[in-house]
Amino acid sequence: EVQLVESGGALIQPGGSLRLSCAVSGFTVSDYYMSWVRQAPGKGLEWVSVIYAGGAAYYADSVKGRFTISRDISKNTLYLQMNSLRAEDTAVYYCAIDRRDDLVIWGQGTMVTVSS
Amino acid sequence: DIQMTQSPSSVSASVGDRVTITCRASQGISSWLVWYQQKPGKAPELLIYAASSLQSGVPSRFSGSGSGTDFTLTISSLQPEDFATYYCQQANSFPRTFGQGTKVEIK
């Protein structure tokens, strides 16, 4: 069974850094595109980043230069390194298997709160 | 960036009703349109991909149509488990963008 489990969410001060993890089971993390999507409290969905099977990555303008997507094949885990965090980054962060044009399986999400 | 606009923002309907949600793209996206359903406190779930293809396991009362800039999600006979928020998303180009969501509420 394919499963995605996010972790790493926390309360963090503005300007701080955090690394989110997405542990994958049922498939190899490098075999598929993988994406991060976030949802601010009471708001809609915002795509954040994707990493291709070949390793190329793309980012939303709102996080470009601050966030980095990566994966560790030995741990079968997807990551999102988030630096220079801002209040507007407060959201539930979801990882998802990306079929290039849709997000077919999602994790349960992890909450990031940026506040002093 | 391609802007996605859904309408209505919310709709009140009864069990058994036919519900239609529209999604308009700010520029042509061919059939690169996806629909998701999200229930409170849960992750979104894929309903429709490539504008009209039903994801495996999704009930046939859900259907999608459209191409270019105008798309529709239809629920032919609303069931209690369908009360949720629905989002469209374009997959034509980066950054991928979502509509603002349509909340389907119980009348």
Side-chain angles (χ1 to χ4, degrees):
Chain A
E1 181 190 3
V2 172
Q3 195 171 14
L4 309 175
V5 179
E6 300 96 333
S7 62
L11 170 63
I12 188 85
Q13 291 190 340
S17 297
L18 202 59
R19 188 178 79 163
L20 305 183
S21 300
C22 172
V24 167
S25 58
F27 71 99
T28 301
V29 68
S30 58
D31 285 349
Y32 293 91
Y33 294 7
M34 297 288 298
S35 278
W36 287 97
V37 174
R38 67 185 181 183
Q39 186 170 35
K43 302 297 184 182
L45 301 169
E46 180 186 16
W47 174 79
V48 173
S49 181
V50 63
I51 185 166
Y52 285 1
Y58 296 89
Y59 300 91
D61 287 345
S62 58
V63 308
K64 199 175 296 182
R66 300 188 299 124
F67 291 12
T68 303
I69 191 172
S70 64
R71 62 198 177 195
D72 184 330
I73 298 170
S74 66
K75 297 182 179 179
N76 216 25
T77 299
L78 176 74
Y79 299 103
L80 186 68
Q81 177 67 43
M82 303 186 296
N83 298 330
S84 302
L85 283 162
R86 306 166 180 167
E88 54 265 35
D89 295 319
T90 294
V92 174
Y93 285 74
Y94 297 100
C95 62
I97 298 174
D98 190 325
R99 295 193 304 191
R100 186 276 181 226
D101 59 344
D102 58 61
L103 303 171
V104 63
I105 298 175
W106 299 58
Q108 85 289 348
T110 187
M111 183 69 203
V112 174
T113 303
V114 184
S115 175
S116 55
Chain B
D1 298 0
I2 299 175
Q3 307 303 315
M4 306 301 293
T5 304
Q6 288 181 234
S7 61
S9 295
S10 65
V11 57
S12 294
S14 301
V15 172
D17 285 353
R18 182 182 183 90
V19 174
T20 299
I21 299 168
T22 64
C23 180
R24 175 164 290 176
S26 60
Q27 63 189 74
I29 58 170
S30 185
S31 294
W32 296 107
L33 193 281
V34 187
W35 291 99
Y36 302 93
Q37 177 194 67
Q38 186 179 33
K39 296 180 180 178
K42 301 294 186 181
E45 294 185 357
L46 176 63
L47 293 177
I48 303 282
Y49 62 95
S52 61
S53 296
L54 195 66
Q55 171 65 9
S56 175
V58 174
S60 59
R61 63 181 178 273
F62 290 93
S63 64
S65 65
S67 67
T69 59
D70 295 311
F71 302 87
T72 299
L73 173 70
T74 299
I75 310 172
S76 60
S77 178
L78 199 65
Q79 298 302 301
E81 60 269 29
D82 301 336
F83 292 95
T85 300
Y86 295 84
Y87 294 93
C88 63
Q89 174 231 309
Q90 64 84 14
N92 181 77
S93 61
F94 288 116
R96 297 199 183 117
T97 44
F98 291 87
Q100 80 278 15
T102 295
K103 188 174 184 179
V104 177
E105 300 174 299
I106 301 172
K107 180 184 279 186

